[in-house]
Amino acid sequence: MAFQCQRDCYMKEFVTSVVSCCPADLKQEVNGKKETLKGFNVKLQDTILFPEGGGQPDDHGLIGDVPVLRVTRQGAEAIHFVRSSLEEGQEVQLKVDWERRFDHMQQHSGQHLITALADTMFGYKTTSWELGRQRSSIELDTPCVKPAELQALEEAVNEKIRAHVPVTVQLLSIDDPAVEKVRSRGLPDDHAGPIRIIDIEGVDANMCCGTHVSNLSHLQVIKLLGTEKGKKSKTNLIFLTGNRVLKYAEKSYSTERSLVSLLKTGADDHVEAVDKLQKSVKLLQKVRLNVKYFAVFSHVVLQGDNEFMNIIANEIGTEETLVFLTVGEEKGPGLFLLAGPSGVVTEMGPRVLEMLQGKGAGKNGRFQGKANSLARRGDVEAFLQEHCKHHASEEE
Protein backbone atom coordinates (compact mmCIF):
# COMPACT_ATOMS: atom_id res chain seq x y z
CA MET A 1 0.00 0.00 0.00
CA ALA A 2 0.96 3.65 -0.35
CA PHE A 3 0.87 5.72 2.84
CA GLN A 4 -0.86 9.10 3.02
CA CYS A 5 2.58 10.74 3.24
CA GLN A 6 3.34 9.28 -0.20
CA ARG A 7 -0.01 10.25 -1.70
CA ASP A 8 0.29 13.85 -0.45
CA CYS A 9 3.81 14.80 0.60
CA TYR A 10 2.69 18.31 1.59
CA MET A 11 0.09 17.23 4.17
CA LYS A 12 1.17 18.43 7.62
CA GLU A 13 -1.72 17.12 9.78
CA PHE A 14 -3.89 14.03 9.46
CA VAL A 15 -6.58 12.20 11.48
CA THR A 16 -6.35 8.41 11.71
CA SER A 17 -6.88 5.62 14.27
CA VAL A 18 -4.67 3.28 16.30
CA VAL A 19 -4.65 -0.31 15.03
CA SER A 20 -2.29 -1.78 17.64
CA CYS A 21 0.09 -0.75 20.42
CA CYS A 22 2.68 -3.23 21.72
CA PRO A 23 5.60 -2.86 24.18
CA ALA A 24 8.95 -2.46 22.40
CA ASP A 25 12.54 -1.26 22.79
CA LEU A 26 14.41 1.29 20.70
CA LYS A 27 18.18 1.17 20.49
CA GLN A 28 19.79 4.50 19.66
CA GLU A 29 22.99 6.45 20.11
CA VAL A 30 22.99 9.72 22.09
CA ASN A 31 26.18 11.80 22.31
CA GLY A 32 28.24 8.78 21.27
CA LYS A 33 26.69 6.48 23.88
CA LYS A 34 24.37 3.61 23.01
CA GLU A 35 21.17 3.37 24.99
CA THR A 36 17.94 1.38 24.91
CA LEU A 37 14.61 3.16 25.33
CA LYS A 38 11.51 1.41 26.63
CA GLY A 39 8.33 2.26 24.77
CA PHE A 40 5.70 1.03 22.33
CA ASN A 41 5.40 0.17 18.66
CA VAL A 42 2.23 1.68 17.24
CA LYS A 43 0.49 0.73 13.99
CA LEU A 44 -2.00 3.22 12.56
CA GLN A 45 -4.76 2.90 9.98
CA ASP A 46 -2.67 5.25 7.79
CA THR A 47 0.10 7.77 8.36
CA ILE A 48 1.66 11.01 7.15
CA LEU A 49 4.93 10.12 8.91
CA PHE A 50 7.31 8.60 6.38
CA PRO A 51 9.12 5.39 7.46
CA GLU A 52 12.80 5.37 6.57
CA GLY A 53 13.59 3.87 3.18
CA GLY A 54 15.06 4.54 -0.25
CA GLY A 55 18.02 6.36 1.30
CA GLN A 56 15.71 8.80 3.08
CA PRO A 57 15.57 9.02 6.91
CA ASP A 58 12.23 8.74 8.71
CA ASP A 59 9.96 11.60 9.71
CA HIS A 60 9.53 12.93 13.22
CA GLY A 61 6.27 14.25 14.57
CA LEU A 62 3.44 13.77 17.05
CA ILE A 63 0.59 11.34 17.60
CA GLY A 64 -1.70 13.59 19.60
CA ASP A 65 0.79 15.11 22.03
CA VAL A 66 3.07 12.03 22.09
CA PRO A 67 6.39 12.46 20.23
CA VAL A 68 7.21 9.85 17.57
CA LEU A 69 10.90 8.98 17.88
CA ARG A 70 11.27 6.51 15.01
CA VAL A 71 9.19 5.30 12.06
CA THR A 72 10.13 2.08 10.27
CA ARG A 73 8.46 -0.05 7.61
CA GLN A 74 7.49 -3.70 7.99
CA GLY A 75 6.09 -4.91 4.69
CA ALA A 76 3.03 -2.80 3.94
CA GLU A 77 2.84 -1.27 7.44
CA ALA A 78 4.54 1.66 9.18
CA ILE A 79 5.69 1.15 12.79
CA HIS A 80 5.78 4.26 15.01
CA PHE A 81 7.90 4.09 18.19
CA VAL A 82 6.60 6.20 21.10
CA ARG A 83 7.31 6.32 24.85
CA SER A 84 3.64 6.36 25.96
CA SER A 85 0.96 3.74 25.40
CA LEU A 86 -1.96 4.51 23.06
CA GLU A 87 -5.39 2.87 23.16
CA GLU A 88 -6.30 0.56 20.28
CA GLY A 89 -9.14 1.95 18.18
CA GLN A 90 -8.48 5.47 19.47
CA GLU A 91 -8.80 8.29 16.92
CA VAL A 92 -5.66 10.40 16.87
CA GLN A 93 -4.30 13.43 15.07
CA LEU A 94 -0.86 13.23 13.48
CA LYS A 95 1.44 16.23 13.02
CA VAL A 96 4.63 16.00 11.01
CA ASP A 97 7.83 17.89 11.84
CA TRP A 98 7.51 19.96 8.68
CA GLU A 99 10.97 21.56 8.73
CA ARG A 100 12.60 18.10 8.79
CA ARG A 101 10.15 16.66 6.22
CA PHE A 102 10.53 19.51 3.70
CA ASP A 103 14.32 19.35 4.05
CA HIS A 104 14.22 15.65 3.20
CA MET A 105 11.91 16.36 0.24
CA GLN A 106 14.34 18.96 -1.10
CA GLN A 107 17.42 16.76 -0.70
CA HIS A 108 15.74 13.65 -2.15
CA SER A 109 14.26 15.38 -5.20
CA GLY A 110 17.56 17.18 -5.67
CA GLN A 111 19.33 13.82 -5.72
CA HIS A 112 16.97 12.52 -8.42
CA LEU A 113 17.67 15.59 -10.56
CA ILE A 114 21.45 15.43 -10.14
CA THR A 115 21.50 11.68 -10.76
CA ALA A 116 19.43 12.01 -13.95
CA LEU A 117 21.53 14.80 -15.48
CA ALA A 118 24.88 13.26 -14.44
CA ASP A 119 23.81 10.19 -16.41
CA THR A 120 22.39 12.11 -19.39
CA MET A 121 25.30 14.55 -19.71
CA PHE A 122 28.29 12.34 -18.88
CA GLY A 123 27.07 8.75 -18.59
CA TYR A 124 27.89 8.66 -14.85
CA LYS A 125 25.56 6.16 -13.16
CA THR A 126 24.47 6.54 -9.52
CA THR A 127 25.24 3.43 -7.46
CA SER A 128 24.05 4.75 -4.06
CA TRP A 129 23.38 7.96 -2.15
CA GLU A 130 23.19 9.22 1.42
CA LEU A 131 20.95 11.93 2.87
CA GLY A 132 23.13 13.26 5.68
CA ARG A 133 22.21 15.60 8.52
CA GLN A 134 24.22 18.50 7.12
CA ARG A 135 25.16 17.48 3.59
CA SER A 136 24.26 14.71 1.18
CA SER A 137 26.32 12.63 -1.23
CA ILE A 138 25.79 10.66 -4.43
CA GLU A 139 28.11 7.78 -5.30
CA LEU A 140 28.89 7.92 -9.02
CA ASP A 141 30.32 5.01 -10.97
CA THR A 142 33.37 6.89 -12.24
CA PRO A 143 36.93 7.33 -10.89
CA CYS A 144 36.69 11.13 -11.08
CA VAL A 145 34.54 14.08 -12.08
CA LYS A 146 36.42 16.92 -13.80
CA PRO A 147 35.97 20.48 -12.44
CA ALA A 148 34.48 21.61 -15.77
CA GLU A 149 31.96 18.74 -15.62
CA LEU A 150 31.01 19.65 -12.06
CA GLN A 151 30.39 23.26 -13.08
CA ALA A 152 28.36 22.25 -16.13
CA LEU A 153 26.27 19.85 -14.03
CA GLU A 154 25.55 22.52 -11.40
CA GLU A 155 24.48 24.99 -14.08
CA ALA A 156 22.23 22.38 -15.70
CA VAL A 157 20.39 21.33 -12.52
CA ASN A 158 19.76 24.93 -11.52
CA GLU A 159 18.47 25.73 -15.00
CA LYS A 160 15.86 22.96 -14.54
CA ILE A 161 14.90 24.47 -11.18
CA ARG A 162 14.38 27.88 -12.78
CA ALA A 163 12.27 26.25 -15.50
CA HIS A 164 9.59 25.22 -12.94
CA VAL A 165 9.54 21.59 -14.12
CA PRO A 166 6.61 19.59 -12.63
CA VAL A 167 7.25 16.46 -10.53
CA THR A 168 4.44 13.87 -10.44
CA VAL A 169 3.81 10.49 -8.81
CA GLN A 170 2.50 7.42 -10.62
CA LEU A 171 1.38 4.16 -9.02
CA LEU A 172 1.80 1.09 -11.26
CA SER A 173 1.17 -2.59 -10.71
CA ILE A 174 4.33 -4.70 -10.57
CA ASP A 175 3.46 -6.43 -13.86
CA ASP A 176 2.80 -3.18 -15.77
CA PRO A 177 5.08 -3.00 -18.89
CA ALA A 178 5.80 0.67 -18.08
CA VAL A 179 7.77 -0.45 -15.00
CA GLU A 180 10.52 -1.80 -17.28
CA LYS A 181 11.13 1.66 -18.74
CA VAL A 182 11.93 3.50 -15.50
CA ARG A 183 15.24 3.90 -13.72
CA SER A 184 15.58 1.63 -10.67
CA ARG A 185 18.13 0.00 -8.41
CA GLY A 186 15.66 -2.76 -7.52
CA LEU A 187 12.90 -3.33 -4.97
CA PRO A 188 13.39 -4.37 -1.32
CA ASP A 189 12.72 -8.05 -0.59
CA ASP A 190 9.66 -7.25 1.56
CA HIS A 191 8.09 -4.79 -0.88
CA ALA A 192 4.28 -4.88 -0.91
CA GLY A 193 1.71 -3.00 -2.98
CA PRO A 194 1.96 -0.93 -6.15
CA ILE A 195 5.17 0.36 -7.70
CA ARG A 196 5.65 4.10 -7.10
CA ILE A 197 7.26 6.15 -9.87
CA ILE A 198 8.61 9.69 -9.39
CA ASP A 199 8.44 11.49 -12.73
CA ILE A 200 10.37 14.71 -13.34
CA GLU A 201 8.73 15.86 -16.56
CA GLY A 202 11.04 15.39 -19.52
CA VAL A 203 14.00 14.65 -17.28
CA ASP A 204 13.65 11.39 -15.35
CA ALA A 205 11.31 8.62 -14.26
CA ASN A 206 12.53 6.68 -11.25
CA MET A 207 11.14 4.00 -8.95
CA CYS A 208 11.10 5.47 -5.43
CA CYS A 209 9.18 5.29 -2.14
CA GLY A 210 10.34 8.65 -0.73
CA THR A 211 8.66 12.03 -0.30
CA HIS A 212 9.29 14.61 -3.03
CA VAL A 213 8.50 18.16 -4.08
CA SER A 214 5.73 18.68 -6.64
CA ASN A 215 7.77 21.10 -8.75
CA LEU A 216 11.53 21.58 -9.17
CA SER A 217 11.12 25.27 -8.32
CA HIS A 218 10.50 24.16 -4.70
CA LEU A 219 14.14 23.05 -4.56
CA GLN A 220 15.15 26.75 -4.72
CA VAL A 221 18.79 26.06 -5.59
CA ILE A 222 21.37 23.24 -5.69
CA LYS A 223 25.02 23.71 -4.75
CA LEU A 224 27.57 21.05 -5.69
CA LEU A 225 30.23 21.46 -3.01
CA GLY A 226 32.76 19.15 -4.68
CA THR A 227 33.79 15.53 -4.89
CA GLU A 228 35.59 13.03 -2.68
CA LYS A 229 37.27 9.76 -3.57
CA GLY A 230 34.85 6.89 -3.13
CA LYS A 231 35.34 3.16 -2.81
CA LYS A 232 36.34 0.86 -5.68
CA SER A 233 37.12 3.55 -8.28
CA LYS A 234 33.97 5.53 -7.58
CA THR A 235 33.42 9.21 -6.78
CA ASN A 236 31.24 10.75 -4.07
CA LEU A 237 29.54 13.95 -5.21
CA ILE A 238 28.72 16.25 -2.25
CA PHE A 239 25.69 18.52 -2.58
CA LEU A 240 23.24 20.80 -0.77
CA THR A 241 19.70 21.67 -1.82
CA GLY A 242 17.28 24.46 -0.91
CA ASN A 243 17.28 25.73 2.67
CA ARG A 244 20.57 23.93 3.36
CA VAL A 245 22.28 26.21 0.84
CA LEU A 246 20.95 29.28 2.67
CA LYS A 247 22.10 27.93 6.05
CA TYR A 248 25.51 27.07 4.60
CA ALA A 249 25.91 30.61 3.23
CA GLU A 250 24.90 32.12 6.58
CA LYS A 251 27.32 29.89 8.51
CA SER A 252 30.16 30.57 6.04
CA TYR A 253 29.65 34.33 6.35
CA SER A 254 29.62 34.14 10.15
CA THR A 255 32.85 32.11 10.11
CA GLU A 256 34.42 34.60 7.71
CA ARG A 257 33.58 37.55 9.98
CA SER A 258 35.03 35.72 12.99
CA LEU A 259 38.26 35.04 11.09
CA VAL A 260 38.46 38.69 9.99
CA SER A 261 38.24 39.74 13.63
CA LEU A 262 40.68 37.07 14.82
CA LEU A 263 43.32 37.27 12.09
CA LYS A 264 42.95 41.03 11.51
CA THR A 265 43.05 40.48 7.75
CA GLY A 266 40.52 40.53 4.95
CA ALA A 267 38.82 37.30 3.85
CA ASP A 268 41.08 37.01 0.80
CA ASP A 269 44.17 36.87 3.06
CA HIS A 270 42.93 34.24 5.55
CA VAL A 271 44.69 31.29 3.91
CA GLU A 272 48.02 33.14 3.82
CA ALA A 273 47.67 34.25 7.47
CA VAL A 274 46.93 30.72 8.71
CA ASP A 275 49.74 29.32 6.57
CA LYS A 276 52.23 31.68 8.26
CA LEU A 277 50.93 30.67 11.68
CA GLN A 278 51.31 26.96 10.90
CA LYS A 279 54.86 27.47 9.68
CA SER A 280 55.72 29.26 12.94
CA VAL A 281 54.34 26.37 14.99
CA LYS A 282 56.25 23.80 12.91
CA LEU A 283 59.46 25.79 13.39
CA LEU A 284 58.99 25.76 17.15
CA GLN A 285 58.33 22.02 17.16
CA LYS A 286 61.67 21.45 15.43
CA VAL A 287 63.43 23.64 17.98
CA ARG A 288 61.86 21.81 20.93
CA LEU A 289 63.26 18.48 19.78
CA ASN A 290 66.78 19.74 20.53
CA VAL A 291 66.34 21.18 24.03
CA LYS A 292 66.63 19.40 27.38
CA TYR A 293 64.38 21.61 29.48
CA PHE A 294 62.36 24.34 27.80
CA ALA A 295 62.93 26.74 24.93
CA VAL A 296 62.02 30.36 24.35
CA PHE A 297 59.71 30.92 21.39
CA SER A 298 59.52 34.55 20.30
CA HIS A 299 57.36 35.81 17.46
CA VAL A 300 56.23 39.18 16.07
CA VAL A 301 52.68 39.58 14.77
CA LEU A 302 52.00 42.86 12.97
CA GLN A 303 48.22 42.51 13.25
CA GLY A 304 46.19 40.69 15.87
CA ASP A 305 44.81 40.92 19.40
CA ASN A 306 45.10 39.23 22.79
CA GLU A 307 42.81 36.40 21.74
CA PHE A 308 44.93 35.73 18.66
CA MET A 309 48.14 35.58 20.74
CA ASN A 310 46.53 33.16 23.20
CA ILE A 311 45.45 30.89 20.35
CA ILE A 312 49.05 30.78 19.11
CA ALA A 313 50.28 29.98 22.63
CA ASN A 314 47.71 27.19 22.98
CA GLU A 315 48.77 25.67 19.66
CA ILE A 316 52.44 25.75 20.64
CA GLY A 317 51.92 24.40 24.16
CA THR A 318 53.52 26.09 27.16
CA GLU A 319 54.33 23.27 29.57
CA GLU A 320 57.98 23.16 28.49
CA THR A 321 58.14 26.30 26.38
CA LEU A 322 58.34 29.96 27.29
CA VAL A 323 56.34 31.83 24.65
CA PHE A 324 56.86 35.57 24.08
CA LEU A 325 54.56 37.20 21.53
CA THR A 326 54.00 40.81 20.53
CA VAL A 327 51.53 42.54 18.25
CA GLY A 328 52.52 45.84 16.69
CA GLU A 329 55.26 47.69 14.81
CA GLU A 330 58.90 47.27 15.89
CA LYS A 331 59.33 50.55 17.80
CA GLY A 332 55.74 51.62 18.41
CA PRO A 333 53.13 50.71 21.02
CA GLY A 334 51.51 47.28 20.97
CA LEU A 335 50.37 44.20 22.88
CA PHE A 336 52.45 41.44 24.45
CA LEU A 337 51.97 37.98 25.93
CA LEU A 338 54.37 35.94 28.05
CA ALA A 339 53.16 32.35 28.53
CA GLY A 340 54.84 29.30 30.00
CA PRO A 341 55.37 27.38 33.24
CA SER A 342 53.41 29.24 35.92
CA GLY A 343 56.30 29.85 38.32
CA VAL A 344 58.60 31.20 35.62
CA VAL A 345 55.95 33.54 34.20
CA THR A 346 55.06 34.87 37.65
CA GLU A 347 58.74 35.60 38.32
CA MET A 348 59.60 37.16 34.95
CA GLY A 349 56.36 38.86 33.96
CA PRO A 350 56.83 42.07 35.99
CA ARG A 351 60.36 42.49 34.60
CA VAL A 352 59.11 42.12 31.02
CA LEU A 353 56.36 44.64 31.77
CA GLU A 354 58.94 47.10 33.05
CA MET A 355 61.19 46.70 30.00
CA LEU A 356 58.27 47.34 27.61
CA GLN A 357 57.05 50.33 29.67
CA GLY A 358 53.62 48.77 29.79
CA LYS A 359 50.61 47.88 31.87
CA GLY A 360 49.33 44.37 32.45
CA ALA A 361 48.80 41.46 34.80
CA GLY A 362 49.11 37.72 34.89
CA LYS A 363 47.77 34.44 36.28
CA ASN A 364 47.82 30.74 35.51
CA GLY A 365 51.00 30.87 33.44
CA ARG A 366 49.91 33.85 31.29
CA PHE A 367 51.14 37.47 31.64
CA GLN A 368 49.82 39.94 29.08
CA GLY A 369 49.19 43.62 28.63
CA LYS A 370 49.82 46.75 26.60
CA ALA A 371 53.32 48.02 25.78
CA ASN A 372 53.95 51.74 25.34
CA SER A 373 57.00 50.84 23.24
CA LEU A 374 58.24 47.62 21.66
CA ALA A 375 61.66 49.13 21.01
CA ARG A 376 63.28 46.90 23.70
CA ARG A 377 61.72 43.72 22.37
CA GLY A 378 65.21 42.36 21.60
CA ASP A 379 66.31 43.04 25.17
CA VAL A 380 63.33 41.07 26.48
CA GLU A 381 64.24 38.11 24.24
CA ALA A 382 67.83 38.17 25.51
CA PHE A 383 66.63 38.37 29.10
CA LEU A 384 64.35 35.36 28.63
CA GLN A 385 67.04 33.33 26.87
CA GLU A 386 69.54 34.04 29.64
CA HIS A 387 67.06 33.01 32.31
CA CYS A 388 66.37 29.71 30.49
CA LYS A 389 70.10 28.96 30.15
CA HIS A 390 70.61 29.66 33.85
CA HIS A 391 67.65 27.43 34.76
CA ALA A 392 68.93 24.63 32.51
CA SER A 393 72.42 24.75 34.10
CA GLU A 394 70.84 24.46 37.56
CA GLU A 395 68.85 21.42 36.42
CA GLU A 396 72.00 19.72 35.19
Side-chain angles (χ1 to χ4, degrees):
M1 65 174 287
F3 302 115
Q4 183 62 29
C5 58
Q6 296 170 311
R7 291 191 293 271
D8 184 355
C9 299
Y10 287 81
M11 183 174 284
K12 301 176 184 178
E13 297 186 14
F14 180 65
V15 176
T16 186
S17 59
V18 177
V19 174
S20 65
C21 180
C22 302
D25 295 336
L26 175 64
K27 294 181 179 180
Q28 63 178 14
E29 189 171 303
V30 179
N31 298 325
K33 295 183 179 180
K34 294 182 179 180
E35 63 179 25
T36 300
L37 299 180
K38 296 289 185 180
F40 301 86
N41 280 339
V42 176
K43 295 180 183 179
L44 302 171
Q45 193 70 38
D46 202 347
T47 185
I48 56 168
L49 301 183
F50 177 74
E52 58 187 3
Q56 180 177 325
D58 59 342
D59 282 337
H60 290 172
L62 297 171
I63 301 178
D65 58 359
V66 178
V68 178
L69 304 183
R70 180 72 56 82
V71 189
T72 56
R73 185 179 63 83
Q74 291 182 3
E77 297 181 307
I79 308 300
H80 309 71
F81 181 85
V82 296
R83 298 298 299 276
S84 302
S85 176
L86 296 171
E87 183 181 348
E88 293 183 9
Q90 175 186 357
E91 187 176 90
V92 292
Q93 183 171 28
L94 302 186
K95 291 183 180 180
V96 66
D97 179 339
W98 178 247
E99 182 178 358
R100 176 181 170 92
R101 154 69 71 75
F102 189 60
D103 172 59
H104 291 173
M105 289 165 62
Q106 287 188 319
Q107 308 317 309
H108 203 161
S109 296
Q111 177 265 314
H112 278 223
L113 179 59
I114 297 168
T115 286
L117 293 186
D119 188 3
T120 301
M121 296 172 66
F122 309 113
Y124 298 154
K125 304 291 185 182
T126 291
T127 50
S128 67
W129 85 291
E130 179 185 11
L131 199 169
R133 291 185 178 181
Q134 296 183 337
R135 64 180 196 172
S136 299
S137 63
I138 298 172
E139 184 184 72
L140 297 175
D141 194 11
T142 178
C144 69
V145 176
K146 298 177 182 178
E149 293 174 333
L150 196 67
Q151 181 178 350
L153 181 58
E154 181 174 284
E155 291 174 354
V157 296
N158 282 292
E159 179 59 34
K160 293 297 182 183
I161 292 172
R162 290 190 292 271
H164 292 245
V165 177
V167 180
T168 57
V169 177
Q170 302 177 48
L171 295 178
L172 304 177
S173 63
I174 196 167
D175 56 353
D176 192 315
V179 173
E180 301 298 325
K181 300 178 182 180
V182 302
R183 182 167 55 85
S184 172
R185 294 199 300 273
L187 291 169
D189 295 336
D190 63 345
H191 173 79
I195 305 297
R196 189 165 177 267
I197 309 300
I198 304 300
D199 189 287
I200 304 176
E201 187 176 286
V203 178
D204 182 54
N206 182 28
M207 196 180 296
C208 182
C209 66
T211 56
H212 290 271
V213 298
S214 60
N215 192 290
L216 291 187
S217 63
H218 296 181
L219 299 183
Q220 300 170 282
V221 65
I222 288 178
K223 178 60 187 175
L224 305 183
L225 295 178
T227 60
E228 297 175 353
K229 185 177 180 181
K231 58 185 179 181
K232 297 181 180 178
S233 299
K234 295 180 181 179
T235 298
N236 295 327
L237 174 61
I238 313 302
F239 73 96
L240 302 172
T241 305
N243 290 333
R244 291 195 182 193
V245 179
L246 302 180
K247 291 179 180 179
Y248 184 82
E250 181 180 3
K251 183 178 180 180
S252 296
Y253 181 73
S254 177
T255 300
E256 178 183 295
R257 299 312 303 164
S258 297
L259 288 173
V260 167
S261 175
L262 186 62
L263 299 175
K264 303 302 180 184
T265 64
D268 293 341
D269 299 321
H270 287 169
V271 174
E272 181 181 356
V274 173
D275 181 59
K276 289 181 179 178
L277 176 59
Q278 287 180 327
K279 288 178 179 177
S280 296
V281 173
K282 288 179 180 179
L283 177 63
L284 170 73
Q285 290 172 339
K286 290 180 180 180
V287 172
R288 289 177 63 182
L289 292 175
N290 299 317
V291 297
K292 291 183 178 179
Y293 178 51
F294 61 80
V296 175
F297 177 77
S298 178
H299 190 66
V300 180
V301 182
L302 295 181
Q303 293 180 312
D305 56 15
N306 286 325
E307 183 180 7
F308 184 50
M309 289 191 294
N310 276 285
I311 288 175
I312 294 178
N314 289 337
E315 286 295 323
I316 292 171
T318 57
E319 291 184 4
E320 297 180 349
T321 305
L322 195 58
V323 178
F324 176 54
L325 302 171
T326 61
V327 174
E329 298 293 338
E330 184 178 354
K331 295 184 180 180
L335 304 173
F336 76 91
L337 169 68
L338 181 66
S342 183
V344 177
V345 171
T346 300
E347 176 186 348
M348 305 178 70
R351 177 57 180 154
V352 171
L353 187 66
E354 180 184 343
M355 296 171 74
L356 297 178
Q357 303 173 27
K359 294 182 179 180
K363 64 178 181 178
N364 300 326
R366 302 286 169 104
F367 199 106
Q368 60 188 45
K370 295 182 179 180
N372 289 327
S373 175
L374 296 175
R376 294 191 63 190
R377 190 182 191 287
D379 294 340
V380 173
E381 290 182 6
F383 167 67
L384 297 176
Q385 293 284 4
E386 183 61 32
H387 179 89
C388 288
K389 290 179 181 179
H390 176 70
H391 200 296
S393 63
E394 289 183 346
E395 289 291 314
E396 292 176 354

